[in-house]
Structures are given as structure tokens and as C-alpha cells.
Amino acid sequence: MSTENLPQSPETSPQRPPRKPRVAVVFGGRSSEHGISVVTAGAVLAAIDRTRYDVLPIGITRDGRWALTADEPERMAITERRTPDVEELAESTEGGVLLPVDPANREVVYSEPGSVPKALGEVDVVFPVLHGPYGEDGTLQGLLELSGVPYVGAGVLASAVGQDKEYMKAVFASYELKVGPYVVVRPREWEQDRSGARRKIVDFAGEHGWPLFVKPARAGSSIGITKVDDLSGLDEAIEEARRHDPKILVEAALRGREIECGVLEFEDGPRASVPAEIPPPSEHAYYDFEAKYIDSTPGIVPAPLDAEETAEVQRLAVAAFDAASCEGLVRADFFLTEDGEFVINEINTMPGFTPISMYPQMWQASGVSYPELVDRLVQAALRRSTGLR
């Protein structure tokens, strides 16, 4: 591949004016949520203000290769019920992007077999729009901390807590946030004693009733989740969840309304958006991947709550943000039970971020447009240092 059209380092000419901050938008990745991450990246690339920032799109393929990709957001949309893929956007099938590993040097390099490595210039901030393991779970955040490169969103600990539903619930419970009943089946339990693991879940169902929701403990976008109405569907649901994560979480069904609330970091601290309600999808058993992204089941923004309920869910959303030591942004998901109590289901430290996703919609209704939302997140990242803070 020719390097003539690659982004050039703006530091090479002494006559150049002070350069704009360079934002590397990193997307794709090795998780089951690869395609949704690409869709999110397309939306961010289309919205980011090119008069204020230079942009470098970097895609991570499903096998982990860091690829320089085309800056063509229109190719990153869901088409014909199919999500896009980094391999389709990569400038080369072999070339790779190398991030710096020296905090004193933020120079990004492009390398291709048989060619001289090409410097692409320094990166000032990374906007990681990866969803799921190997990106949203603290792994990429740890790499960026080692490299000394600021990044959008939660740090290592908060990202890990936000990805692992078991520890997320434990943290919330320790901060006296109400969580629903759940039980965890660890890999060793299922692999060494299936009957014992199955009995553990059946005993849980005996206490809390059917249906149950069987989930990968460390996945998102409702991937790998099965609603189980009785014992006959349990093993199949466990195997489906384990296709995405060897650790599974089983939750009791909570009867109530699904309410979401966004949290965004402003200069003076985190603030909550107006909440939204997710109505039961008419063509799906629950709000699953297909309902969210393929059929785009619309949410209700703002949620039809009274003033007291709105204030309470906003308070709880910020409390969850603080409990997990989050930064940048969070979408907090709740159930409003029949007795009027908010039960937190989970947080997403990098929620769905397309213009039709609930997080941007809630902030749009709160007076923050999608382009302004992207800008605020980048600016918040630029204000922070890496390391202990």
C-alpha cells in the first residue's frame, strides 16, 4: 500500500500554525459487539468538529490487528440488518498501527511488511468506542495509561467494574444502591460440576420464581442473553451465554418499567440527563439486541415520570457514576418496580452512542446536541491527566 495518502505529521513544518488536537477514534475490537462499535465510530466520526480537531480513525479487527481505516462514516452503518466490520474499512489487509508505549512520545506509527514505517503524528487523546471485553473493560484503558495518552471515558477500575456485572452489583450494593436478586456461575463450577451448578440455579428459581434471565457476566448490547421460562430451556441458555463469556450471571425477572438515565462529566462534575423509558418491544420477548439495534425500538424521551421520580432516578444515576469511580460518561439502567422503588440493573461506561441510541437522545432532550456531546467528552479527556488522579 502506498503511504502517500496517509495522515502526515503536522510537526514537520516550522511554518505551520499551532496544530489542532489530534483525536484517535478507536473502534471494532475482538468482542461480540464488534459491529455495534463500528456503527458507533461512524456516528462519532461524522459528528466530531473537524475545524477543532484532527481525526485519526483506527479499527481493531476481530482477530486483534490494529488497522488504519478509511475516514468514511457513511460506510459504518447497519445495512440490510447487517452490522459493518473493520476488515471492510481497513486500508490494508496486512498493515498495522502501533500506539506509543513511551509516555514521553505520543507518536503513532503505521507499519506494513516490506515498507518503511511511517509516522502519523502525535495523538493527543483517544476516543475509544469499543464495546465489551478487550476494550470497554479496562484493558485498552490500561494500555493508554501506560502510554501516557489521555482518553475519553472511564479509567481502568471503573471500566472493569462496569463490564463485570457480578462486581458491578457488589459495588452498588456496598454503596446502598438497590440491586435485584442474582446468582453467578463461575467457569469452574460449570466445567467440573454441571449438576451442582444447575441445582444452584434451580434453587435460585425456587426462591425467586421463573422466568430467569441468563446472561454473559461480561458482555453488553444484550448479546448472549436468554429469557428462560422453565427448567427445559436452562442448559441451552447457559451454553448460549457461555459462547460469549465462561462466567454467567442469572437474574430474577423484575416486574416494572425500564428507565434509563445518562450521566455526563461537566467542568463542575457529573450531571444527569432527563431520563428515558424503554417500553416493552411489541415484536420481541424483551429489549434484546435485535430490538435495540436492528429494529430500533424507540424509547420514550423524556420518560413519563413525575418530578419526584425524575429527581430520584437522576440522583441515583449520579450516585452509581460516583460509586464505580466513573469519568466522562455513563448510562445507568433501572427498573421502576410496582411499589415505586428504583432498582439499578447496570451501568454502561461506553453506552450505545449512535444518534438513535438512548444516551445521545437523552442528552439531546436535555439541551446537549450530539456534536456538542462528542466535543464535551473530548474536552473532558483533554483536561485529565493519565495516572493516579
Side-chain angles (χ1 to χ4, degrees):
M1 170 185 140
S2 169
T3 60
E4 292 179 0
N5 296 320
L6 292 177
Q8 302 296 308
S9 172
E11 293 81 13
T12 56
S13 172
Q15 285 75 40
R16 287 183 182 272
R19 66 176 179 83
K20 296 177 286 188
R22 179 176 283 111
V23 180
V25 179
V26 180
F27 60 96
R30 295 162 54 190
S31 82
S32 304
E33 300 171 76
H34 177 102
I36 292 303
S37 174
V38 179
V39 174
T40 295
V44 171
L45 289 170
I48 195 166
D49 187 349
R50 305 304 178 100
T51 67
R52 297 191 64 185
Y53 307 106
D54 286 328
V55 179
L56 181 66
I58 300 173
I60 302 177
T61 64
R62 293 181 188 272
D63 62 3
R65 180 173 66 93
W66 290 51
L68 188 69
T69 65
D71 188 1
E72 299 176 8
E74 65 277 6
R75 293 173 58 193
M76 301 182 184
I78 295 173
T79 55
E80 298 180 351
R81 304 179 69 84
R82 177 180 171 276
T83 56
D85 193 285
V86 166
E87 288 284 7
E88 300 166 353
L89 302 161
E91 297 281 6
S92 165
T93 59
E94 296 182 309
V97 174
L98 303 176
L99 286 183
V101 293
D102 180 358
N105 174 23
R106 294 181 181 175
E107 189 88 9
V108 175
V109 174
Y110 178 82
S111 179
E112 192 172 12
S115 300
V116 176
K118 183 69 176 179
L120 303 183
E122 291 189 354
V123 166
D124 297 287
V125 63
V126 169
F127 199 134
V129 292
L130 295 122
H131 300 305
Y134 312 110
E136 191 184 350
D137 58 349
T139 50
L140 176 61
Q141 290 74 16
L143 173 64
L144 295 172
E145 292 285 352
L146 289 172
S147 302
V149 179
Y151 53 91
V152 168
V156 175
L157 173 65
S159 297
V161 168
Q163 190 64 48
D164 192 313
K165 295 177 177 64
E166 176 190 4
Y167 291 102
M168 180 197 308
K169 291 176 184 293
V171 167
F172 289 155
S174 74
Y175 277 82
E176 299 183 346
L177 295 167
K178 180 73 173 179
V179 300
Y182 68 96
V183 66
V184 175
V185 176
R186 300 179 181 279
R188 187 172 62 250
E189 292 180 83
W190 184 250
E191 292 159 7
Q192 296 183 2
D193 184 9
R194 291 195 177 192
S195 62
R198 193 181 295 109
R199 185 166 56 253
K200 179 180 181 179
I201 298 173
V202 171
D203 289 346
F204 178 78
E207 182 179 358
H208 299 285
W210 301 90
L212 303 176
F213 286 89
V214 179
K215 303 180 175 184
R218 295 163 291 193
S221 298
S222 297
I223 290 174
I225 298 177
T226 305
K227 180 182 180 183
V228 182
D229 293 312
D230 53 46
L231 184 60
S232 65
L234 183 59
D235 279 14
E236 183 178 354
I238 291 171
E239 292 299 342
E240 170 60 19
R242 282 175 50 82
R243 286 200 313 112
H244 304 277
D245 186 349
K247 182 168 78 167
I248 66 168
L249 186 88
V250 181
E251 294 177 335
L254 292 177
R255 289 166 176 79
R257 298 160 61 188
E258 290 192 50
I259 306 295
E260 299 184 348
C261 190
V263 180
L264 178 63
E265 183 180 353
F266 286 74
E267 290 82 355
D268 59 351
R271 302 181 198 171
S273 70
V274 300
E277 180 168 2
I278 308 299
S282 58
E283 298 181 3
H284 300 267
Y286 59 96
Y287 193 46
D288 61 6
F289 178 87
E290 295 275 328
K292 282 183 181 179
Y293 296 108
I294 304 302
D295 295 325
S296 300
T297 300
I300 303 170
V301 186
L305 302 171
D306 62 34
E308 184 177 342
E309 291 169 333
T310 296
E312 177 64 2
V313 75
Q314 289 175 325
R315 182 188 72 80
L316 291 171
V318 172
F321 182 96
D322 288 336
S325 297
C326 294
E327 295 170 292
L329 73 163
V330 148
R331 192 193 74 228
D333 301 346
F334 298 86
F335 289 101
L336 177 55
T337 63
E338 295 171 349
D339 61 3
E341 184 176 39
F342 282 104
V343 177
I344 189 164
N345 183 38
E346 65 178 21
I347 58 170
N348 281 266
T349 55
M350 183 51 69
F353 209 79
T354 69
I356 65 168
S357 298
M358 296 311 302
Y359 184 85
Q361 285 194 55
M362 289 186 286
W363 279 108
Q364 177 75 40
S366 304
V368 181
S369 69
Y370 191 93
E372 183 185 350
L373 186 57
V374 170
D375 183 66
R376 282 191 172 277
L377 289 169
V378 172
Q379 287 298 315
L382 288 169
R383 288 194 299 270
R384 292 199 309 264
S385 64
T386 54
L388 299 178
R389 52 187 182 273

